[in-house]
Amino acid sequence: YIVFLPPIGWLYMIVPTFAQQRIAGYTWAVAATVATGFISFGVWVHHMFAVGLPDVTNSFFSVASLGVSFPTAVAFFVFTATLWTARRIQWTASMLWAIGGLISFVIGGISGVMVAVVPFDWQVHDTYFGVAHLHYVLVAGNVLPMFAAFYYWLPKITGWMLDGKPGKIRFWLTPIGRTRIFFPHHRAGAFWPS
């Protein structure tokens, strides 16, 4: 989750810009980002539950892996409130990539909560469930906001305005393709473990 902090910073700039609304709950957003940074130091161990760590250690890191969902949910609700109170949302390519990154990260986060439960993690360890979790959290949660940042800042840096139509087409092809490839991996890993 700590690798999501730069993309969430980009989204804190992009979403209010195209929602034409100040970020809702700015103090909550900052607190959630700081809390995510601290708690995420213990989240990575949920990928190590199957190596024979002591039960006390597994319990501690399971709580951290479950607990990181709270500040992440606060950040997601900050974005939702910002969009809800927006006067008029501009659905540019940058905004589509930003919202797509948020939705993908939520899907990956739900699978992350499942993996945080030690017995479930033992069952799906080294299966396609982990592949799906990785691609929804790390790839979609980071790469989609990176494209949002690219479409947002490149015109500001270079002075070249990008054509929004190809960016929107690329956006719609990306989540459709990713979902068709990786969403079934959840089922394949959970019900047909290797």
Side-chain angles (χ1 to χ4, degrees):
Y1 276 71
I2 202 162
V3 298
F4 190 61
L5 293 183
I8 202 142
W10 304 333
L11 298 180
Y12 281 139
M13 296 281 296
I14 295 167
V15 170
T17 299
F18 293 111
Q20 299 176 6
Q21 176 70 22
R22 301 182 75 150
I23 194 87
Y26 177 79
T27 306
W28 287 98
V30 172
T33 304
V34 171
T36 301
F38 281 114
I39 296 171
S40 64
F41 282 111
V43 172
W44 65 273
V45 180
H46 75 238
H47 297 285
M48 305 293 290
F49 285 157
V51 301
L53 295 171
D55 289 339
V56 172
T57 305
N58 281 345
S59 299
F60 174 77
F61 291 112
S62 178
V63 169
S65 296
L66 290 168
V68 78
S69 62
F70 292 108
T72 307
V74 168
F76 186 78
F77 288 129
V78 163
F79 288 119
T80 304
T82 302
L83 293 170
W84 188 267
T85 59
R87 290 179 224 102
R88 189 175 70 89
I89 299 172
Q90 296 176 332
W91 293 105
T92 63
S94 182
M95 184 65 153
L96 289 173
W97 286 103
I99 300 301
L102 286 169
I103 292 169
S104 297
F105 193 77
V106 167
I107 293 169
I110 291 168
S111 66
V113 168
M114 296 166 72
V115 173
V117 178
V118 177
F120 183 81
D121 184 79
W122 287 340
Q123 179 178 343
V124 298
H125 184 73
D126 282 341
T127 67
Y128 279 115
F129 194 91
V131 175
H133 172 65
L134 173 89
H135 281 88
Y136 272 96
V137 173
L138 291 182
V139 177
N142 287 303
V143 173
L144 271 63
M146 191 182 322
F147 280 113
F150 175 78
Y151 279 97
Y152 182 72
W153 274 294
L154 187 71
K156 294 176 185 279
I157 294 169
T158 64
W160 304 333
M161 274 310 283
L162 296 170
D163 186 2
K165 188 173 182 181
K168 291 178 182 179
I169 292 170
R170 283 185 207 103
F171 165 75
W172 286 110
L173 290 175
T174 300
I176 290 169
R178 185 197 62 249
T179 301
R180 290 192 58 162
I181 293 169
F182 295 113
F183 197 77
H185 284 57
H186 288 104
R187 183 178 173 143
F191 296 111
W192 297 291
S194 57

PDB file of all heavy atoms in Angstrom, residues 73-109:
ATOM      1  N   ALA A  73     -10.130   3.432   2.919  1.00  0.00           N
ATOM      2  CA  ALA A  73     -11.555   3.708   2.717  1.00  0.00           C
ATOM      3  C   ALA A  73     -11.860   5.182   2.935  1.00  0.00           C
ATOM      4  O   ALA A  73     -12.674   5.772   2.211  1.00  0.00           O
ATOM      5  CB  ALA A  73     -12.400   2.843   3.647  1.00  0.00           C
ATOM      6  N   VAL A  74     -11.205   5.793   3.923  1.00  0.00           N
ATOM      7  CA  VAL A  74     -11.409   7.233   4.154  1.00  0.00           C
ATOM      8  C   VAL A  74     -10.994   8.013   2.912  1.00  0.00           C
ATOM      9  O   VAL A  74     -11.715   8.916   2.462  1.00  0.00           O
ATOM     10  CB  VAL A  74     -10.632   7.699   5.400  1.00  0.00           C
ATOM     11  CG1 VAL A  74     -10.597   9.220   5.483  1.00  0.00           C
ATOM     12  CG2 VAL A  74     -11.240   7.107   6.663  1.00  0.00           C
ATOM     13  N   ALA A  75      -9.834   7.668   2.338  1.00  0.00           N
ATOM     14  CA  ALA A  75      -9.382   8.362   1.127  1.00  0.00           C
ATOM     15  C   ALA A  75     -10.376   8.163  -0.014  1.00  0.00           C
ATOM     16  O   ALA A  75     -10.707   9.113  -0.743  1.00  0.00           O
ATOM     17  CB  ALA A  75      -8.007   7.860   0.713  1.00  0.00           C
ATOM     18  N   PHE A  76     -10.875   6.939  -0.168  1.00  0.00           N
ATOM     19  CA  PHE A  76     -11.850   6.676  -1.227  1.00  0.00           C
ATOM     20  C   PHE A  76     -13.122   7.489  -1.006  1.00  0.00           C
ATOM     21  O   PHE A  76     -13.687   8.043  -1.960  1.00  0.00           O
ATOM     22  CB  PHE A  76     -12.162   5.181  -1.305  1.00  0.00           C
ATOM     23  CG  PHE A  76     -13.048   4.820  -2.451  1.00  0.00           C
ATOM     24  CD1 PHE A  76     -12.535   4.730  -3.733  1.00  0.00           C
ATOM     25  CD2 PHE A  76     -14.404   4.602  -2.265  1.00  0.00           C
ATOM     26  CE1 PHE A  76     -13.356   4.405  -4.811  1.00  0.00           C
ATOM     27  CE2 PHE A  76     -15.229   4.281  -3.325  1.00  0.00           C
ATOM     28  CZ  PHE A  76     -14.698   4.177  -4.599  1.00  0.00           C
ATOM     29  N   PHE A  77     -13.586   7.591   0.249  1.00  0.00           N
ATOM     30  CA  PHE A  77     -14.791   8.380   0.530  1.00  0.00           C
ATOM     31  C   PHE A  77     -14.547   9.873   0.345  1.00  0.00           C
ATOM     32  O   PHE A  77     -15.475  10.609  -0.008  1.00  0.00           O
ATOM     33  CB  PHE A  77     -15.325   8.073   1.930  1.00  0.00           C
ATOM     34  CG  PHE A  77     -15.959   6.716   2.033  1.00  0.00           C
ATOM     35  CD1 PHE A  77     -15.588   5.850   3.035  1.00  0.00           C
ATOM     36  CD2 PHE A  77     -16.914   6.310   1.119  1.00  0.00           C
ATOM     37  CE1 PHE A  77     -16.157   4.590   3.127  1.00  0.00           C
ATOM     38  CE2 PHE A  77     -17.500   5.062   1.192  1.00  0.00           C
ATOM     39  CZ  PHE A  77     -17.119   4.189   2.203  1.00  0.00           C
ATOM     40  N   VAL A  78     -13.315  10.326   0.558  1.00  0.00           N
ATOM     41  CA  VAL A  78     -12.984  11.728   0.270  1.00  0.00           C
ATOM     42  C   VAL A  78     -13.163  11.995  -1.226  1.00  0.00           C
ATOM     43  O   VAL A  78     -13.747  13.012  -1.623  1.00  0.00           O
ATOM     44  CB  VAL A  78     -11.546  12.056   0.746  1.00  0.00           C
ATOM     45  CG1 VAL A  78     -11.037  13.334   0.107  1.00  0.00           C
ATOM     46  CG2 VAL A  78     -11.497  12.163   2.253  1.00  0.00           C
ATOM     47  N   PHE A  79     -12.667  11.076  -2.056  1.00  0.00           N
ATOM     48  CA  PHE A  79     -12.845  11.236  -3.501  1.00  0.00           C
ATOM     49  C   PHE A  79     -14.324  11.167  -3.884  1.00  0.00           C
ATOM     50  O   PHE A  79     -14.799  11.942  -4.711  1.00  0.00           O
ATOM     51  CB  PHE A  79     -12.062  10.167  -4.270  1.00  0.00           C
ATOM     52  CG  PHE A  79     -10.585  10.388  -4.247  1.00  0.00           C
ATOM     53  CD1 PHE A  79      -9.748   9.446  -3.689  1.00  0.00           C
ATOM     54  CD2 PHE A  79     -10.027  11.528  -4.782  1.00  0.00           C
ATOM     55  CE1 PHE A  79      -8.390   9.639  -3.665  1.00  0.00           C
ATOM     56  CE2 PHE A  79      -8.661  11.735  -4.762  1.00  0.00           C
ATOM     57  CZ  PHE A  79      -7.835  10.787  -4.206  1.00  0.00           C
ATOM     58  N   THR A  80     -15.049  10.238  -3.276  1.00  0.00           N
ATOM     59  CA  THR A  80     -16.481  10.106  -3.563  1.00  0.00           C
ATOM     60  C   THR A  80     -17.228  11.379  -3.175  1.00  0.00           C
ATOM     61  O   THR A  80     -18.075  11.873  -3.937  1.00  0.00           O
ATOM     62  CB  THR A  80     -17.070   8.898  -2.816  1.00  0.00           C
ATOM     63  OG1 THR A  80     -16.336   7.725  -3.172  1.00  0.00           O
ATOM     64  CG2 THR A  80     -18.528   8.698  -3.146  1.00  0.00           C
ATOM     65  N   ALA A  81     -16.929  11.938  -2.008  1.00  0.00           N
ATOM     66  CA  ALA A  81     -17.590  13.171  -1.566  1.00  0.00           C
ATOM     67  C   ALA A  81     -17.230  14.340  -2.473  1.00  0.00           C
ATOM     68  O   ALA A  81     -18.079  15.195  -2.761  1.00  0.00           O
ATOM     69  CB  ALA A  81     -17.213  13.485  -0.121  1.00  0.00           C
ATOM     70  N   THR A  82     -15.987  14.380  -2.929  1.00  0.00           N
ATOM     71  CA  THR A  82     -15.578  15.450  -3.841  1.00  0.00           C
ATOM     72  C   THR A  82     -16.370  15.374  -5.134  1.00  0.00           C
ATOM     73  O   THR A  82     -16.851  16.393  -5.650  1.00  0.00           O
ATOM     74  CB  THR A  82     -14.070  15.362  -4.129  1.00  0.00           C
ATOM     75  OG1 THR A  82     -13.358  15.437  -2.892  1.00  0.00           O
ATOM     76  CG2 THR A  82     -13.618  16.475  -5.047  1.00  0.00           C
ATOM     77  N   LEU A  83     -16.525  14.158  -5.664  1.00  0.00           N
ATOM     78  CA  LEU A  83     -17.291  13.999  -6.905  1.00  0.00           C
ATOM     79  C   LEU A  83     -18.782  14.240  -6.684  1.00  0.00           C
ATOM     80  O   LEU A  83     -19.463  14.800  -7.545  1.00  0.00           O
ATOM     81  CB  LEU A  83     -17.059  12.600  -7.486  1.00  0.00           C
ATOM     82  CG  LEU A  83     -15.645  12.331  -7.993  1.00  0.00           C
ATOM     83  CD1 LEU A  83     -15.470  10.867  -8.320  1.00  0.00           C
ATOM     84  CD2 LEU A  83     -15.336  13.199  -9.205  1.00  0.00           C
ATOM     85  N   TRP A  84     -19.276  13.825  -5.524  1.00  0.00           N
ATOM     86  CA  TRP A  84     -20.713  13.980  -5.225  1.00  0.00           C
ATOM     87  C   TRP A  84     -21.110  15.449  -5.133  1.00  0.00           C
ATOM     88  O   TRP A  84     -22.208  15.830  -5.543  1.00  0.00           O
ATOM     89  CB  TRP A  84     -21.025  13.251  -3.918  1.00  0.00           C
ATOM     90  CG  TRP A  84     -22.483  13.167  -3.614  1.00  0.00           C
ATOM     91  CD1 TRP A  84     -23.222  14.035  -2.857  1.00  0.00           C
ATOM     92  CD2 TRP A  84     -23.395  12.180  -4.081  1.00  0.00           C
ATOM     93  NE1 TRP A  84     -24.538  13.645  -2.811  1.00  0.00           N
ATOM     94  CE2 TRP A  84     -24.666  12.490  -3.563  1.00  0.00           C
ATOM     95  CE3 TRP A  84     -23.258  11.051  -4.876  1.00  0.00           C
ATOM     96  CZ2 TRP A  84     -25.781  11.727  -3.818  1.00  0.00           C
ATOM     97  CZ3 TRP A  84     -24.381  10.285  -5.123  1.00  0.00           C
ATOM     98  CH2 TRP A  84     -25.612  10.632  -4.602  1.00  0.00           C
ATOM     99  N   THR A  85     -20.216  16.269  -4.578  1.00  0.00           N
ATOM    100  CA  THR A  85     -20.536  17.689  -4.394  1.00  0.00           C
ATOM    101  C   THR A  85     -20.092  18.555  -5.569  1.00  0.00           C
ATOM    102  O   THR A  85     -20.226  19.783  -5.509  1.00  0.00           O
ATOM    103  CB  THR A  85     -19.878  18.218  -3.106  1.00  0.00           C
ATOM    104  OG1 THR A  85     -18.464  18.041  -3.191  1.00  0.00           O
ATOM    105  CG2 THR A  85     -20.424  17.499  -1.885  1.00  0.00           C
ATOM    106  N   ALA A  86     -19.583  17.922  -6.610  1.00  0.00           N
ATOM    107  CA  ALA A  86     -19.094  18.683  -7.760  1.00  0.00           C
ATOM    108  C   ALA A  86     -20.243  19.346  -8.503  1.00  0.00           C
ATOM    109  O   ALA A  86     -21.337  18.793  -8.607  1.00  0.00           O
ATOM    110  CB  ALA A  86     -18.335  17.761  -8.714  1.00  0.00           C
ATOM    111  N   ARG A  87     -19.970  20.535  -8.988  1.00  0.00           N
ATOM    112  CA  ARG A  87     -20.965  21.248  -9.785  1.00  0.00           C
ATOM    113  C   ARG A  87     -21.117  20.601 -11.153  1.00  0.00           C
ATOM    114  O   ARG A  87     -22.204  20.343 -11.620  1.00  0.00           O
ATOM    115  CB  ARG A  87     -20.552  22.709  -9.945  1.00  0.00           C
ATOM    116  CG  ARG A  87     -20.661  23.505  -8.669  1.00  0.00           C
ATOM    117  CD  ARG A  87     -20.203  24.950  -8.876  1.00  0.00           C
ATOM    118  NE  ARG A  87     -19.367  25.310  -7.741  1.00  0.00           N
ATOM    119  CZ  ARG A  87     -18.052  25.352  -7.752  1.00  0.00           C
ATOM    120  NH1 ARG A  87     -17.396  25.086  -8.845  1.00  0.00           N
ATOM    121  NH2 ARG A  87     -17.374  25.663  -6.673  1.00  0.00           N
ATOM    122  N   ARG A  88     -19.989  20.389 -11.801  1.00  0.00           N
ATOM    123  CA  ARG A  88     -19.984  19.778 -13.137  1.00  0.00           C
ATOM    124  C   ARG A  88     -18.653  19.059 -13.305  1.00  0.00           C
ATOM    125  O   ARG A  88     -17.588  19.662 -13.209  1.00  0.00           O
ATOM    126  CB  ARG A  88     -20.125  20.851 -14.219  1.00  0.00           C
ATOM    127  CG  ARG A  88     -20.349  20.299 -15.610  1.00  0.00           C
ATOM    128  CD  ARG A  88     -20.594  21.413 -16.614  1.00  0.00           C
ATOM    129  NE  ARG A  88     -19.397  22.205 -16.863  1.00  0.00           N
ATOM    130  CZ  ARG A  88     -18.495  21.901 -17.802  1.00  0.00           C
ATOM    131  NH1 ARG A  88     -18.641  20.847 -18.545  1.00  0.00           N
ATOM    132  NH2 ARG A  88     -17.454  22.683 -17.980  1.00  0.00           N
ATOM    133  N   ILE A  89     -18.719  17.767 -13.553  1.00  0.00           N
ATOM    134  CA  ILE A  89     -17.504  16.968 -13.706  1.00  0.00           C
ATOM    135  C   ILE A  89     -17.104  16.963 -15.175  1.00  0.00           C
ATOM    136  O   ILE A  89     -17.929  16.709 -16.054  1.00  0.00           O
ATOM    137  CB  ILE A  89     -17.721  15.518 -13.213  1.00  0.00           C
ATOM    138  CG1 ILE A  89     -18.096  15.521 -11.729  1.00  0.00           C
ATOM    139  CG2 ILE A  89     -16.470  14.679 -13.454  1.00  0.00           C
ATOM    140  CD1 ILE A  89     -18.514  14.181 -11.193  1.00  0.00           C
ATOM    141  N   GLN A  90     -15.837  17.252 -15.432  1.00  0.00           N
ATOM    142  CA  GLN A  90     -15.293  17.187 -16.784  1.00  0.00           C
ATOM    143  C   GLN A  90     -14.695  15.794 -16.970  1.00  0.00           C
ATOM    144  O   GLN A  90     -13.689  15.461 -16.337  1.00  0.00           O
ATOM    145  CB  GLN A  90     -14.219  18.249 -16.997  1.00  0.00           C
ATOM    146  CG  GLN A  90     -14.734  19.654 -16.911  1.00  0.00           C
ATOM    147  CD  GLN A  90     -13.597  20.657 -17.032  1.00  0.00           C
ATOM    148  OE1 GLN A  90     -12.466  20.378 -16.675  1.00  0.00           O
ATOM    149  NE2 GLN A  90     -13.918  21.830 -17.541  1.00  0.00           N
ATOM    150  N   TRP A  91     -15.280  14.997 -17.845  1.00  0.00           N
ATOM    151  CA  TRP A  91     -14.817  13.627 -18.046  1.00  0.00           C
ATOM    152  C   TRP A  91     -13.725  13.593 -19.112  1.00  0.00           C
ATOM    153  O   TRP A  91     -13.896  13.066 -20.193  1.00  0.00           O
ATOM    154  CB  TRP A  91     -15.989  12.721 -18.403  1.00  0.00           C
ATOM    155  CG  TRP A  91     -16.922  12.573 -17.259  1.00  0.00           C
ATOM    156  CD1 TRP A  91     -18.143  13.156 -17.097  1.00  0.00           C
ATOM    157  CD2 TRP A  91     -16.683  11.818 -16.074  1.00  0.00           C
ATOM    158  NE1 TRP A  91     -18.685  12.806 -15.883  1.00  0.00           N
ATOM    159  CE2 TRP A  91     -17.807  11.976 -15.233  1.00  0.00           C
ATOM    160  CE3 TRP A  91     -15.631  11.018 -15.618  1.00  0.00           C
ATOM    161  CZ2 TRP A  91     -17.915  11.373 -13.986  1.00  0.00           C
ATOM    162  CZ3 TRP A  91     -15.741  10.413 -14.378  1.00  0.00           C
ATOM    163  CH2 TRP A  91     -16.861  10.586 -13.582  1.00  0.00           C
ATOM    164  N   THR A  92     -12.594  14.174 -18.766  1.00  0.00           N
ATOM    165  CA  THR A  92     -11.441  14.155 -19.658  1.00  0.00           C
ATOM    166  C   THR A  92     -10.755  12.799 -19.567  1.00  0.00           C
ATOM    167  O   THR A  92     -11.082  11.960 -18.712  1.00  0.00           O
ATOM    168  CB  THR A  92     -10.446  15.250 -19.246  1.00  0.00           C
ATOM    169  OG1 THR A  92      -9.965  14.952 -17.927  1.00  0.00           O
ATOM    170  CG2 THR A  92     -11.090  16.631 -19.258  1.00  0.00           C
ATOM    171  N   ALA A  93      -9.780  12.576 -20.431  1.00  0.00           N
ATOM    172  CA  ALA A  93      -9.018  11.323 -20.379  1.00  0.00           C
ATOM    173  C   ALA A  93      -8.328  11.183 -19.030  1.00  0.00           C
ATOM    174  O   ALA A  93      -8.319  10.101 -18.432  1.00  0.00           O
ATOM    175  CB  ALA A  93      -7.996  11.285 -21.513  1.00  0.00           C
ATOM    176  N   SER A  94      -7.794  12.271 -18.519  1.00  0.00           N
ATOM    177  CA  SER A  94      -7.112  12.231 -17.230  1.00  0.00           C
ATOM    178  C   SER A  94      -8.064  11.833 -16.103  1.00  0.00           C
ATOM    179  O   SER A  94      -7.725  11.018 -15.236  1.00  0.00           O
ATOM    180  CB  SER A  94      -6.486  13.596 -16.936  1.00  0.00           C
ATOM    181  OG  SER A  94      -5.789  13.580 -15.719  1.00  0.00           O
ATOM    182  N   MET A  95      -9.261  12.376 -16.113  1.00  0.00           N
ATOM    183  CA  MET A  95     -10.236  12.053 -15.076  1.00  0.00           C
ATOM    184  C   MET A  95     -10.692  10.600 -15.178  1.00  0.00           C
ATOM    185  O   MET A  95     -10.852   9.920 -14.155  1.00  0.00           O
ATOM    186  CB  MET A  95     -11.437  12.996 -15.190  1.00  0.00           C
ATOM    187  CG  MET A  95     -12.448  12.804 -14.099  1.00  0.00           C
ATOM    188  SD  MET A  95     -11.764  13.247 -12.493  1.00  0.00           S
ATOM    189  CE  MET A  95     -13.241  13.715 -11.646  1.00  0.00           C
ATOM    190  N   LEU A  96     -10.883  10.094 -16.383  1.00  0.00           N
ATOM    191  CA  LEU A  96     -11.269   8.699 -16.552  1.00  0.00           C
ATOM    192  C   LEU A  96     -10.196   7.760 -16.009  1.00  0.00           C
ATOM    193  O   LEU A  96     -10.491   6.794 -15.306  1.00  0.00           O
ATOM    194  CB  LEU A  96     -11.548   8.393 -18.029  1.00  0.00           C
ATOM    195  CG  LEU A  96     -12.817   9.003 -18.614  1.00  0.00           C
ATOM    196  CD1 LEU A  96     -12.874   8.751 -20.113  1.00  0.00           C
ATOM    197  CD2 LEU A  96     -14.043   8.442 -17.922  1.00  0.00           C
ATOM    198  N   TRP A  97      -8.929   8.043 -16.336  1.00  0.00           N
ATOM    199  CA  TRP A  97      -7.837   7.212 -15.818  1.00  0.00           C
ATOM    200  C   TRP A  97      -7.786   7.284 -14.293  1.00  0.00           C
ATOM    201  O   TRP A  97      -7.525   6.279 -13.630  1.00  0.00           O
ATOM    202  CB  TRP A  97      -6.493   7.653 -16.401  1.00  0.00           C
ATOM    203  CG  TRP A  97      -6.269   7.272 -17.833  1.00  0.00           C
ATOM    204  CD1 TRP A  97      -6.362   8.107 -18.920  1.00  0.00           C
ATOM    205  CD2 TRP A  97      -5.945   5.989 -18.349  1.00  0.00           C
ATOM    206  NE1 TRP A  97      -6.101   7.404 -20.063  1.00  0.00           N
ATOM    207  CE2 TRP A  97      -5.835   6.102 -19.745  1.00  0.00           C
ATOM    208  CE3 TRP A  97      -5.725   4.740 -17.766  1.00  0.00           C
ATOM    209  CZ2 TRP A  97      -5.513   5.030 -20.568  1.00  0.00           C
ATOM    210  CZ3 TRP A  97      -5.399   3.670 -18.591  1.00  0.00           C
ATOM    211  CH2 TRP A  97      -5.300   3.815 -19.971  1.00  0.00           C
ATOM    212  N   ALA A  98      -8.043   8.446 -13.735  1.00  0.00           N
ATOM    213  CA  ALA A  98      -8.018   8.601 -12.272  1.00  0.00           C
ATOM    214  C   ALA A  98      -9.120   7.781 -11.610  1.00  0.00           C
ATOM    215  O   ALA A  98      -8.868   7.037 -10.650  1.00  0.00           O
ATOM    216  CB  ALA A  98      -8.156  10.077 -11.901  1.00  0.00           C
ATOM    217  N   ILE A  99     -10.328   7.887 -12.101  1.00  0.00           N
ATOM    218  CA  ILE A  99     -11.449   7.140 -11.518  1.00  0.00           C
ATOM    219  C   ILE A  99     -11.253   5.643 -11.737  1.00  0.00           C
ATOM    220  O   ILE A  99     -11.529   4.828 -10.849  1.00  0.00           O
ATOM    221  CB  ILE A  99     -12.793   7.617 -12.120  1.00  0.00           C
ATOM    222  CG1 ILE A  99     -13.010   9.104 -11.834  1.00  0.00           C
ATOM    223  CG2 ILE A  99     -13.948   6.782 -11.603  1.00  0.00           C
ATOM    224  CD1 ILE A  99     -13.018   9.472 -10.372  1.00  0.00           C
ATOM    225  N   GLY A 100     -10.753   5.263 -12.904  1.00  0.00           N
ATOM    226  CA  GLY A 100     -10.459   3.854 -13.163  1.00  0.00           C
ATOM    227  C   GLY A 100      -9.426   3.293 -12.197  1.00  0.00           C
ATOM    228  O   GLY A 100      -9.542   2.154 -11.734  1.00  0.00           O
ATOM    229  N   GLY A 101      -8.415   4.094 -11.878  1.00  0.00           N
ATOM    230  CA  GLY A 101      -7.408   3.662 -10.906  1.00  0.00           C
ATOM    231  C   GLY A 101      -8.003   3.467  -9.525  1.00  0.00           C
ATOM    232  O   GLY A 101      -7.673   2.510  -8.819  1.00  0.00           O
ATOM    233  N   LEU A 102      -8.894   4.368  -9.126  1.00  0.00           N
ATOM    234  CA  LEU A 102      -9.545   4.229  -7.818  1.00  0.00           C
ATOM    235  C   LEU A 102     -10.401   2.976  -7.737  1.00  0.00           C
ATOM    236  O   LEU A 102     -10.331   2.221  -6.767  1.00  0.00           O
ATOM    237  CB  LEU A 102     -10.405   5.465  -7.527  1.00  0.00           C
ATOM    238  CG  LEU A 102      -9.651   6.734  -7.156  1.00  0.00           C
ATOM    239  CD1 LEU A 102     -10.601   7.925  -7.167  1.00  0.00           C
ATOM    240  CD2 LEU A 102      -8.996   6.584  -5.801  1.00  0.00           C
ATOM    241  N   ILE A 103     -11.190   2.743  -8.758  1.00  0.00           N
ATOM    242  CA  ILE A 103     -12.069   1.569  -8.752  1.00  0.00           C
ATOM    243  C   ILE A 103     -11.241   0.282  -8.760  1.00  0.00           C
ATOM    244  O   ILE A 103     -11.542  -0.669  -8.031  1.00  0.00           O
ATOM    245  CB  ILE A 103     -13.047   1.634  -9.939  1.00  0.00           C
ATOM    246  CG1 ILE A 103     -14.036   2.783  -9.727  1.00  0.00           C
ATOM    247  CG2 ILE A 103     -13.781   0.308 -10.122  1.00  0.00           C
ATOM    248  CD1 ILE A 103     -14.875   3.119 -10.930  1.00  0.00           C
ATOM    249  N   SER A 104     -10.197   0.244  -9.564  1.00  0.00           N
ATOM    250  CA  SER A 104      -9.342  -0.946  -9.615  1.00  0.00           C
ATOM    251  C   SER A 104      -8.672  -1.194  -8.273  1.00  0.00           C
ATOM    252  O   SER A 104      -8.545  -2.345  -7.837  1.00  0.00           O
ATOM    253  CB  SER A 104      -8.275  -0.780 -10.693  1.00  0.00           C
ATOM    254  OG  SER A 104      -8.868  -0.661 -11.950  1.00  0.00           O
ATOM    255  N   PHE A 105      -8.241  -0.125  -7.622  1.00  0.00           N
ATOM    256  CA  PHE A 105      -7.584  -0.288  -6.329  1.00  0.00           C
ATOM    257  C   PHE A 105      -8.558  -0.800  -5.277  1.00  0.00           C
ATOM    258  O   PHE A 105      -8.188  -1.576  -4.406  1.00  0.00           O
ATOM    259  CB  PHE A 105      -6.952   1.032  -5.881  1.00  0.00           C
ATOM    260  CG  PHE A 105      -6.014   0.865  -4.739  1.00  0.00           C
ATOM    261  CD1 PHE A 105      -4.747   0.362  -4.946  1.00  0.00           C
ATOM    262  CD2 PHE A 105      -6.390   1.203  -3.453  1.00  0.00           C
ATOM    263  CE1 PHE A 105      -3.871   0.198  -3.891  1.00  0.00           C
ATOM    264  CE2 PHE A 105      -5.522   1.046  -2.392  1.00  0.00           C
ATOM    265  CZ  PHE A 105      -4.249   0.542  -2.617  1.00  0.00           C
ATOM    266  N   VAL A 106      -9.812  -0.385  -5.366  1.00  0.00           N
ATOM    267  CA  VAL A 106     -10.825  -0.892  -4.425  1.00  0.00           C
ATOM    268  C   VAL A 106     -11.044  -2.391  -4.636  1.00  0.00           C
ATOM    269  O   VAL A 106     -11.111  -3.159  -3.683  1.00  0.00           O
ATOM    270  CB  VAL A 106     -12.143  -0.102  -4.554  1.00  0.00           C
ATOM    271  CG1 VAL A 106     -13.275  -0.791  -3.834  1.00  0.00           C
ATOM    272  CG2 VAL A 106     -11.956   1.304  -4.008  1.00  0.00           C
ATOM    273  N   ILE A 107     -11.138  -2.809  -5.892  1.00  0.00           N
ATOM    274  CA  ILE A 107     -11.305  -4.245  -6.170  1.00  0.00           C
ATOM    275  C   ILE A 107     -10.105  -5.028  -5.636  1.00  0.00           C
ATOM    276  O   ILE A 107     -10.259  -6.062  -4.978  1.00  0.00           O
ATOM    277  CB  ILE A 107     -11.492  -4.489  -7.679  1.00  0.00           C
ATOM    278  CG1 ILE A 107     -12.816  -3.893  -8.148  1.00  0.00           C
ATOM    279  CG2 ILE A 107     -11.435  -5.981  -8.001  1.00  0.00           C
ATOM    280  CD1 ILE A 107     -12.976  -3.856  -9.652  1.00  0.00           C
ATOM    281  N   GLY A 108      -8.912  -4.515  -5.878  1.00  0.00           N
ATOM    282  CA  GLY A 108      -7.715  -5.164  -5.345  1.00  0.00           C
ATOM    283  C   GLY A 108      -7.655  -5.111  -3.833  1.00  0.00           C
ATOM    284  O   GLY A 108      -7.178  -6.048  -3.188  1.00  0.00           O
ATOM    285  N   GLY A 109      -8.148  -4.029  -3.252  1.00  0.00           N
ATOM    286  CA  GLY A 109      -8.165  -3.916  -1.799  1.00  0.00           C
ATOM    287  C   GLY A 109      -9.104  -4.918  -1.148  1.00  0.00           C
ATOM    288  O   GLY A 109      -8.821  -5.449  -0.074  1.00  0.00           O
TER     289      GLY A 109
END
